[in-house]
Amino acid sequence: NAGVMQNPRHLVRRRGQEARLRCSPMKGHSHVYWYRQLPEEGLKFMVYLQKENIIDESGMPKERFSAEFPKEGPSILRIQQVVRGDSAAYFCASSPGTGTYNEQFFGPGTRLTVL
Amino acid sequence: GQQVMQIPQYQHVQEGEDFTTYCNSSTTLSNIQWYKQRPGGHPVFLIQLVKSGEVKKQKRLTFQFGEAKKNSSLHITATQTTDVGTYFCAGPGSGAGSYQLTFGKGTKLSVIP
């Protein structure tokens, strides 16, 4: 039973380019969460999605960032016109449901470096 | 908004010594979760505590949830080099935001062999 998969594991972009991060949740999980982790920091919630729906994007910057979870295929976190401050590890997590008692399973993360 | 604080930020111990990290929330939590992240790795779920005053053990790890459900601790007895990593506590939001985990900044544990 494969866990949460993310790709790429490492991504290098120059300022102004676009970054696309992919996440495939665990089998049977329909809830996806994206978190960002800066060096020496905890994880910060960005967005919560279910299939074809953004449920909560309150943690995501209003500009340049977008997320989707299409009916078919992985969830995508897109960062347009990247800046150096976007350099971070981006983790995706999935759960089978919501509510307060559902453990979130994390993927290996995508380490984004903006030159 | 909800804040989750952890202390200490760093802890260096000699192998065999004990280690404790403390977690405090600005709001009452329905539950608290603990994760471990190895250097260069991703957070791995360790445990969830739900009941007031709950204590759970996993081998050398003891987790405690405070009576007021606003604080928690993780204690490791006789640390080993395999315990190296950053330990995070995380609490869910309330109401409609309950799926949203708020993480503490973590305690980074180094074990000197």
Side-chain angles (χ1 to χ4, degrees):
Chain A
N1 185 14
V4 178
M5 293 190 289
Q6 287 187 251
N7 67 82
R9 296 288 300 275
H10 298 274
L11 182 61
V12 179
R13 284 286 177 267
R14 296 191 180 280
R15 280 179 298 169
Q17 291 184 319
E18 178 179 284
R20 289 168 65 93
L21 288 61
R22 295 175 191 77
C23 168
S24 295
M26 281 182 73
K27 188 175 180 181
H29 288 192
S30 58
H31 301 258
V32 167
Y33 317 82
W34 285 92
Y35 292 85
R36 177 164 65 176
Q37 185 178 36
L38 296 171
E40 306 295 319
E41 295 278 325
L43 285 80
K44 293 283 193 291
F45 169 81
M46 297 181 74
V47 61
Y48 161 47
L49 309 104
Q50 294 179 26
K51 282 285 186 184
E52 300 184 277
N53 282 304
I54 297 174
I55 308 301
D56 181 354
E57 56 184 347
S58 60
M60 203 156 65
K62 296 276 186 282
E63 297 181 357
R64 303 187 298 106
F65 285 73
S66 62
E68 62 178 10
F69 190 14
K71 189 176 179 181
E72 301 289 338
S75 174
I76 307 275
L77 179 68
R78 183 184 292 111
I79 311 172
Q80 294 177 305
Q81 299 176 313
V82 295
V83 301
R84 289 221 173 101
D86 297 331
S87 295
Y90 292 83
F91 291 97
C92 164
S94 72
S95 71
T98 56
T100 57
Y101 305 113
N102 275 300
E103 164 192 349
Q104 293 183 14
F105 296 82
F106 283 81
T110 295
R111 270 83 180 165
L112 173 65
T113 301
V114 179
L115 301 177
Chain B
Q2 182 189 54
Q3 291 184 16
V4 176
M5 292 146 287
Q6 268 185 270
I7 56 169
Q9 192 172 355
Y10 301 96
Q11 185 79 58
H12 305 276
V13 299
Q14 203 75 35
E15 189 173 16
E17 290 182 340
D18 291 357
F19 158 76
T20 304
T21 173
Y22 301 91
C23 178
N24 285 285
S25 170
S26 58
T27 59
T28 302
L29 299 169
S30 58
N31 70 86
I32 194 154
Q33 301 177 23
W34 285 90
Y35 291 79
K36 177 184 178 181
Q37 185 176 24
R38 292 183 186 276
H42 62 279
V44 174
F45 176 82
L46 294 177
I47 207 159
Q48 178 175 256
L49 303 170
V50 177
K51 297 177 185 174
S52 169
E54 188 170 14
V55 177
K56 284 189 177 180
K57 292 193 175 188
Q58 288 179 351
K59 297 183 182 178
R60 294 178 295 104
L61 277 62
T62 301
F63 302 84
Q64 198 161 11
F65 200 11
E67 293 290 340
K69 301 182 78 171
K70 292 182 73 172
N71 62 288
S72 181
S73 65
L74 157 59
H75 179 83
I76 303 178
T77 304
T79 55
Q80 300 174 0
T81 53
T82 52
D83 296 325
V84 163
T86 302
Y87 293 84
F88 293 98
C89 62
S94 58
S98 62
Y99 46 78
Q100 197 185 109
L101 286 177
T102 299
F103 281 78
K105 289 192 174 184
T107 296
K108 190 171 184 177
L109 173 63
S110 301
V111 178
I112 305 161

